[in-house]
Amino acid sequence: MSLESIKYKRGKLEVLDQLLLPLQTKYVKVEGVEDGWKVINKMQVRGAPAIAIVGCLSLAVELLKDDIEDKKIMRQEIEGKLNYLVSARPTAVNIKLAADELINLANTLNADENVTPNEFKERFVISIENMLIKDIEDNKAIGKFGCEAILNNANDGSVRILTHCNTGSLATAGYGTALGVIRSLNESKKLEHVYCTETRPYNQGARLTAYELVHEKIPATLIVDSMVSALMYTRNITAVVVGADRVAANGDTANKIGTYQIAIVAKHHGVPFYVAAPLSSIDMSLTSGDRIKIEERPDREMTHIGEHRIAAPGISCWNPSFDVTPTNLITGIITEKGVFTPNQLKDVIPKDSAVVPKS
Ligand SMILES: CSC[C@@H](O)[C@@H](O)C(=O)COP(=O)(O)O
């Protein structure tokens, strides 16, 4: 059975504390929006799709507890709380797009005189709950399209894939995006091997992706981030597949720090470089990646591993959590609607790309 990072039953939300993995498996209760903001900000839950889903579900939990009888007040509360949740981490766009759609929905339900306060709440909460199902469906489609694209371009029958950060069940509602593609390749028996980077400084690769790969019995090897060039030189890598936190309209892609340098190395070695992401990671309001806000995290994530200091006391640090891979280094963007070149995005992002399923 695949790992479950988000446990939700009407009004009850728990997230797997990813700070403790792989050594401890402990779920944290999320009782409302304040808890939702904290688990996202502290990175107990992380990964662009999971951040959006947990943030919105924390609002659903809170609404189900409230006994607000006035639709106008409910609408106001919803807007304020969603904007607050978006502020927990700035780079991933999924939560922002989900919040915008939910605010639109709240406006519509508020304006419709035939909708009672109870119906307002019920329809609003159901929309949020459906995000869990939609995310898994989208990820399975991403897995299938990515698997086909990689196999179509592979010269031999089996493939060797490099991935970065964690994009699996832990970063989504389930199955994963880039890791979903790897899962799908493995299911098709065409995956010879996957290599995952450690992903310093937060070690999502060593702690989380490695954990998922071992759990799923997928043939895998962990490498340190600085081994990527040597790996490409010696191991005949078929393709790189990574996730995304925000893709600009021209295809520039913000993803975990280190992604950009992997894309450069891939270009040098002629290895196709794919971004696997749902349409809800694509921000058509930004013409290029220059305007993507890059989160900077505390020095402690670099200077310490757990409680143990590894860096010289007194040294100053720079800790951007993401970088932007320019569009010209990207072979294809694997979405739930198919695989597109960056310059096809503007024709692809449809009116039906709802992050939040229609109520
Ligand atoms: C499907 S997850 C895609 C991205 O969110 C992932 O690659 C990533 O960069 C996660 O960063 P994180 O800082 O762990 O939230």
Side-chain angles (χ1 to χ4, degrees):
M1 210 184 84
S2 107
L3 294 163
E4 208 182 3
S5 68
I6 304 167
K7 280 190 185 174
Y8 178 80
K9 253 199 197 137
R10 184 44 76 103
K12 286 204 172 70
L13 173 63
E14 289 185 342
V15 296
L16 183 55
D17 187 345
Q18 298 189 30
L19 295 174
L20 303 178
L21 287 176
L23 301 179
Q24 278 183 60
T25 304
K26 196 175 147 202
Y27 284 85
V28 188
K29 278 203 177 87
V30 178
E31 314 255 23
V33 166
E34 199 51 52
D35 287 353
W37 191 93
K38 278 191 200 139
V39 293
I40 293 169
N41 181 264
K42 283 167 66 183
M43 291 175 69
Q44 285 170 298
V45 66
R46 28 68 47 208
I51 290 171
I53 294 166
V54 168
C56 295
L57 283 174
S58 76
L59 174 61
V61 169
E62 188 154 314
L63 282 176
L64 288 165
K65 279 195 213 149
D66 280 348
D67 30 85
I68 307 172
E69 294 286 327
D70 184 318
K71 288 204 302 175
K72 205 168 138 207
I73 298 179
M74 204 147 40
R75 195 216 67 79
Q76 262 171 5
E77 292 272 304
I78 284 170
E79 181 165 3
K81 285 175 180 170
L82 282 169
N83 286 332
Y84 174 62
L85 284 162
V86 169
S87 74
R89 291 191 73 195
T91 303
V93 73
N94 312 52
I95 188 165
K96 166 76 176 126
L97 295 184
D100 289 349
E101 272 176 33
L102 286 169
I103 291 167
N104 279 341
L105 175 63
N107 288 337
T108 309
L109 294 171
N110 181 40
D112 187 340
E113 284 171 7
N114 296 319
V115 174
T116 65
N118 275 347
E119 280 166 356
F120 179 133
K121 191 187 281 189
E122 181 65 15
R123 283 171 61 180
F124 191 82
V125 167
I126 287 176
S127 287
I128 295 178
E129 291 173 342
N130 287 343
M131 288 172 76
L132 281 165
I133 303 159
K134 181 175 187 299
D135 190 56
I136 296 178
E137 285 171 359
D138 287 350
N139 293 342
K140 291 199 168 153
I142 288 171
K144 174 181 151 295
F145 286 126
C147 175
E148 286 167 6
I150 291 171
L151 291 178
N152 280 344
N153 287 330
N155 296 329
D156 49 5
S158 58
V159 296
R160 293 149 302 281
I161 304 293
L162 169 65
T163 191
H164 186 56
C165 195
N166 175 264
T167 58
S169 293
L170 294 167
T172 61
Y175 203 75
T177 55
L179 212 54
V181 174
I182 289 164
R183 220 182 277 277
S184 183
L185 284 164
N186 190 48
E187 283 158 14
S188 73
K189 308 265 181 281
K190 296 284 164 43
L191 179 73
E192 184 185 307
H193 212 80
V194 55
Y195 295 87
C196 64
T197 56
E198 189 183 28
T199 321
R200 281 283 292 150
Y202 191 74
N203 295 321
Q204 286 93 332
R207 294 190 303 108
L208 309 176
T209 301
Y211 182 64
E212 289 202 40
L213 291 168
V214 170
H215 182 86
E216 301 285 335
K217 300 191 173 49
I218 294 176
T221 296
L222 175 67
I223 61 163
V224 164
D225 299 349
S226 48
M227 295 172 184
V228 167
S229 304
L231 181 88
M232 292 217 193
Y233 189 72
T234 55
R235 297 284 167 109
N236 194 16
I237 297 298
T238 314
V240 177
V241 193
V242 298
D245 288 85
R246 192 181 293 241
V247 181
N250 71 342
D252 288 351
T253 296
N255 189 50
K256 180 52 53 194
I257 191 76
T259 304
Y260 179 21
Q261 66 196 21
I262 297 175
I264 293 171
V265 175
K267 185 82 162 184
H268 180 77
H269 288 89
V271 173
F273 182 93
Y274 290 97
V275 170
L279 295 179
S280 55
S281 298
I282 301 175
D283 183 353
M284 293 305 281
S285 75
L286 299 183
T287 47
S288 80
D290 291 347
R291 287 180 46 233
I292 298 177
K293 186 167 189 319
I294 301 293
E295 174 185 12
E296 295 202 7
R297 305 274 314 165
D299 293 0
R300 198 184 157 89
E301 283 176 9
M302 288 171 64
T303 57
H304 287 68
I305 292 189
E307 292 308 305
H308 185 67
R309 184 167 189 114
I310 52 163
I315 190 70
S316 69
C317 299
W318 179 49
N319 188 13
S321 197
F322 303 94
D323 57 26
V324 177
T325 299
T327 181
N328 65 312
L329 299 179
I330 298 171
T331 310
I333 299 174
I334 306 166
T335 74
E336 68 273 29
K337 301 278 183 205
V339 184
F340 305 101
T341 57
N343 59 18
Q344 288 174 318
L345 284 183
K346 56 186 176 319
D347 306 321
V348 170
I349 299 295
K351 311 83 209 162
D352 69 340
S353 65
V355 179
V356 177
K358 306 272 183 276
S359 74

